[in-house]
């Protein structure tokens, strides 16, 4: 493809300063057939000459008036940053062998040329690596695509303030994946019950939406640290050792004789909680004094309080059928014969914040272990979407977050080797674990209005973006600055709207304050749910 179309020429290079060039423009727009391209911040430019083709992005446009003897003329100055060059096949490659020379021509690049550079218009097999998500924001810049392997293989961060279109962007990416790939595996940690609606309608056959009151995470799948963190976080060293020995003994009782030596306290094997508590009682009753019985009484009190707490009912939902690890993952990953599902939406909205943090950590660790023991990372790669990530993997290292932080950070650092990817979604990037963010290879940055959030993201963006990073506070809804591995040529993208959309969290004050409370509204019902800790929500389609 010709990357030097005469109709798209707009000026000549008049200054070369390392990776930055200055172009003296004759015009700030060019007409390409029925499309008019403008030399605007973010547009792509080819500075072509005998040295080859140098691909740049516009970082600044300056128009200044210069007085001459009898007239005033306009100087049009366009500053660009070099992002790469072309190889022998006219494909984009990072870095340059030779810098452009002063006087070489500058050409605007249209959408077809940019996509050709990136290889998106190659044969069908190569094209499958990309999926469309929207349009580049610059006029005439064409459709925007993401490289699936690089998007998920190197983790992704999607950030933006409340109301910037973050949930719609996440939903659109997931829907595009479902459209383009027959058998993906996506698991949503849905904190506010937003995504059930986004995967209804035509997506319903492909999705598995699990209500929070049907959510299950069997206690026998917990490793020792997780078990103690939930049931008895104040346990001392001696008590932890006793709990370890007791659980390990009970788990070994539940397996065949030949496997007993292979089972440890962390093995996901069923054991009876009643039997566990009964053994503690027997041990207590053998003690001869109240002082010696006291540690066991405290232990029993802690375990029984969690057992009776309805907030933790998800731990014992599958006790009756002693759900196996195999059955659990077959359901979670939608692998049931004859009715496969490709996206699982776990509604965690009904769980208290402190419980939710533990659930996310345990589920992330279980998914990591599942991929680890699969042996081949390409058998069934999985992507985890961590909604509102700042609420459970913050920069804060407080003990209530430590379990979840440790497990998510491990996946961020090692998950790609085993086919486990993270899509981290947050409205407060300044509050999120730097370890996780630093492992993300692609950043989709929607509107950010907070200075601290902007500064943290700016430090992670490439220098070639120049003034584009200054637009973070003024991006439109659903518009994002996309940088990193999944989009080799960075820039602004207007994401397509998902269909259907996620359920909005915006409360309609005007409606409620005009119509008043609904029929049958009772404070008594709210008080009862509050006291019993049973948050029975109506399922609204």
């Amino acid at each position: 493809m010709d990357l030097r179309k005469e109709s798209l020429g707009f000026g000549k290079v008049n200054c070369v300063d390392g990776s930055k060039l200055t172009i003296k423009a004759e015009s700030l727009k060019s007409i390409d057939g029925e499309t008019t391209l403008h030399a605007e911040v973010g547009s792509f430019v080819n500075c072509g000459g005998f040295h080859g083709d140098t691909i740049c992005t516009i970082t600044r446009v300056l128009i200044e008036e210069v007085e001459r003897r009898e007239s005033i003329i306009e100087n049009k100055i366009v500053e660009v940053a070099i992002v790469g060059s072309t190889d022998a096949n006219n494909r984009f490659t990072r870095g340059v062998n030779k810098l452009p020379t002063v006087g070489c021509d500058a050409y605007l690049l249209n959408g077809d040329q940019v996509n050709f550079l990136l290889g998106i218009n190659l044969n069908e097999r190569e094209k499958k690596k990309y999926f469309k998500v929207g349009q580049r924001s610059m006029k005439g810049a064409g459709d925007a695509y993401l490289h699936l392997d690089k998007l998920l293989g190197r983790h992704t961060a999607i950030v933006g303030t409340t109301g910037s279109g973050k949930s719609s962007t996440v939903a659109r990416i997931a829907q595009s994946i479902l459209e383009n790939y027959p058998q993906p595996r996506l698991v949503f940690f849905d904190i506010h019950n937003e995504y059930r609606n986004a995967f209804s309608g035509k997506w319903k056959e492909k999705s598995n939406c699990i209500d929070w009151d049907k959510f299950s995470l069997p206690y026998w799948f917990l490793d020792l640290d997780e078990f103690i963190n939930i049931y008895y976080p104040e346990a001392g060293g001696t008590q932890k050792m006793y709990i370890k020995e007791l659980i390990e003994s009970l788990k070994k009782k539940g397996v065949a004789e030949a496997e007993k030596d292979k089972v440890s306290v962390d093995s996901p094997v069923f054991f009876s909680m009643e039997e566990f508590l009964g053994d503690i009682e027997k041990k207590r009753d053998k003690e001869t004094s109240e002082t010696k019985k006291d540690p066991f009484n405290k232990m029993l009190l802690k375990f029984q309080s969690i057992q009776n707490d309805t907030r933790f009912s998800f731990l014992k939902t599958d006790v009756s059928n002693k759900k196996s690890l195999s059955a659990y993952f077959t359901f979670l990953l939608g692998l049931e014969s004859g009715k496969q599902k490709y996206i699982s939406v776990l509604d965690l909205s009904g769980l208290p914040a402190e419980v939710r943090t533990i659930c996310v950590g345990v589920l992330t660790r279980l998914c990591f272990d599942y991929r680890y023991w699969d042996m081949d990372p390409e058998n069934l790669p999985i992507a985890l979407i961590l909604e509102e990530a700042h609420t459970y993997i913050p920069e804060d290292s407080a003990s209530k977050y430590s379990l979840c932080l440790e497990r998510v950070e491990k996946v961020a650092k090692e998950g790609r080797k085993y086919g486990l990817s993270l899509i981290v979604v947050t409205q407060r990037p300044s509050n999120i674990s730097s370890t996780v963010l630093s492992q993300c290879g692609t950043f989709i940055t929607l509107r950010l209005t907070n200075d601290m959030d902007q500064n943290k993201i700016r430090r992670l963006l490439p220098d070639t973006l120049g003034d584009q990073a200054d637009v973070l506070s003024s991006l439109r809804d659903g518009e994002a600055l996309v940088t990193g591995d999944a989009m080799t040529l960075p820039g602004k993208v207007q994401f397509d709207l998902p269909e259907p959309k996620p359920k909005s969290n915006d409360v309609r004050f005007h409606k409620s304050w005009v119509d008043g409370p609904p029929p049958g509204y009772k404070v008594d019902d709210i008080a009862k749910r509050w006291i019993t800790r049973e948050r029975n929500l109506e399922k609204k389609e």
Side-chain angles (χ1 to χ4, degrees), residues 447-448 470-476 479:
R447 185 171 62 252
L448 283 174
D470 294 334
V471 302
L472 293 180
S473 62
S474 59
L475 292 169
R476 296 169 290 178
E479 185 178 41

Side-chain angles (χ1 to χ4, degrees), residues 148-416:
L148 182 70
D149 294 346
K150 293 177 180 177
L151 180 79
L152 299 181
R154 300 173 188 175
H155 308 310
T156 296
I158 301 177
V159 304
T161 194
T162 302
S164 62
K166 196 164 61 276
S167 299
S168 291
T169 300
V170 174
R172 179 63 257 176
I173 289 173
Q175 290 175 0
S176 294
I177 289 173
L178 288 174
E179 280 176 343
N180 288 276
Y181 305 96
Q183 299 190 61
R185 284 296 182 281
L186 302 168
V187 179
F188 269 85
F189 295 160
D190 188 0
I191 305 303
H192 297 305
N193 190 23
E194 291 179 278
Y195 292 98
R196 167 184 291 276
N197 192 63
F199 298 103
S200 58
K202 66 178 180 178
W203 309 112
K204 194 168 185 179
E205 290 297 314
K206 294 186 174 184
S207 57
N208 181 22
C209 298
I210 303 168
D211 299 323
W212 73 268
D213 53 356
K214 293 183 175 64
F215 170 69
S216 171
L217 184 57
Y219 64 79
W220 54 95
F221 290 172
L222 305 175
D223 65 23
L224 181 63
D225 286 343
E226 293 160 356
F227 187 86
I228 290 174
N229 197 287
I230 292 173
Y231 283 93
Y232 196 4
E234 299 87 6
T238 304
Q239 291 163 317
K240 286 180 181 178
M241 185 59 66
Y242 176 68
I243 292 169
K244 175 183 180 296
E245 292 171 356
L246 196 53
I247 293 175
E248 192 167 324
S249 173
L250 289 171
K251 285 187 173 183
K252 288 185 176 183
K253 283 174 64 177
V255 298
E257 190 66 34
E259 297 177 347
K260 289 187 186 296
D261 292 340
K262 300 176 183 178
V263 170
S264 74
V265 67
D266 293 333
S267 298
V269 175
F270 176 81
F271 70 95
S272 167
M273 185 61 75
E274 284 69 28
E275 199 172 343
F276 174 75
L277 296 175
D279 286 348
I280 296 175
E281 289 177 348
K282 289 176 187 176
K283 179 73 173 175
R284 178 198 62 188
D285 294 342
K286 287 180 181 178
E287 299 296 340
T288 55
S289 67
E290 290 300 318
T291 303
K292 291 182 178 180
K293 289 181 179 182
D294 189 53
F296 296 100
N297 284 328
K298 287 180 180 177
M299 199 180 297
L300 282 167
L301 188 63
K302 284 285 185 182
F303 286 120
Q304 288 166 348
S305 68
I306 296 295
Q307 276 291 90
N308 298 328
D309 192 335
T310 56
R311 297 178 304 166
F312 292 89
S313 59
F314 62 88
L315 291 168
K316 50 185 187 289
T317 301
D318 289 312
V319 167
S320 59
N321 60 6
K322 302 178 183 180
K323 181 168 276 188
S324 68
L325 190 67
S326 175
Y328 187 80
F329 270 96
T330 298
F331 175 71
L332 179 67
L333 300 179
L335 294 169
E336 293 170 308
S337 179
K339 49 179 179 178
Q340 288 206 23
K341 307 288 185 180
Y342 305 105
I343 182 165
S344 295
V345 180
L346 307 180
D347 175 14
L348 305 181
S349 62
L351 303 178
E354 64 275 14
V355 177
R356 189 189 303 144
T357 299
I358 293 169
C359 288
V360 172
V362 174
L363 280 166
T364 301
R365 192 268 304 171
L366 285 172
C367 288
F368 179 85
D369 286 351
Y370 180 87
R371 296 302 312 127
Y372 176 83
W373 291 108
D374 191 355
M375 310 309 286
D376 187 341
E378 291 194 352
N379 278 345
L380 191 77
I382 301 169
L384 304 180
I385 293 94
L386 309 184
E387 260 287 342
E388 300 290 352
H390 57 278
T391 62
Y392 44 83
I393 51 168
E395 192 78 303
D396 183 2
S397 59
S399 58
K400 64 179 179 178
Y401 301 116
S402 58
L403 184 143
C404 189
L405 261 174
E406 179 187 330
R407 279 143 178 77
V408 175
E409 287 179 351
K410 182 177 182 180
V411 172
K413 289 182 283 189
E414 302 178 33
R416 58 178 296 198

Side-chain angles (χ1 to χ4, degrees), residues 83-140:
V83 291
S85 56
T86 57
D87 60 18
N89 297 314
N90 257 10
R91 304 300 178 196
F92 177 80
T93 179
R94 292 186 187 276
V96 291
N97 292 323
K98 295 180 181 179
L99 290 172
T101 57
V102 171
C104 77
D105 294 315
Y107 304 85
L108 289 170
L109 295 174
N110 61 30
D112 290 340
Q113 290 171 317
V114 172
N115 287 335
F116 174 81
L117 276 170
L118 297 176
I120 294 169
N121 296 325
L122 289 172
N123 59 59
E124 284 302 310
R125 183 173 181 82
E126 286 296 311
K127 195 173 181 180
K128 272 295 178 186
K129 294 179 181 178
Y130 297 86
F131 64 99
K132 180 179 175 292
V133 292
Q135 299 77 41
R136 296 186 183 90
S137 298
M138 298 74 70
K139 292 179 182 177

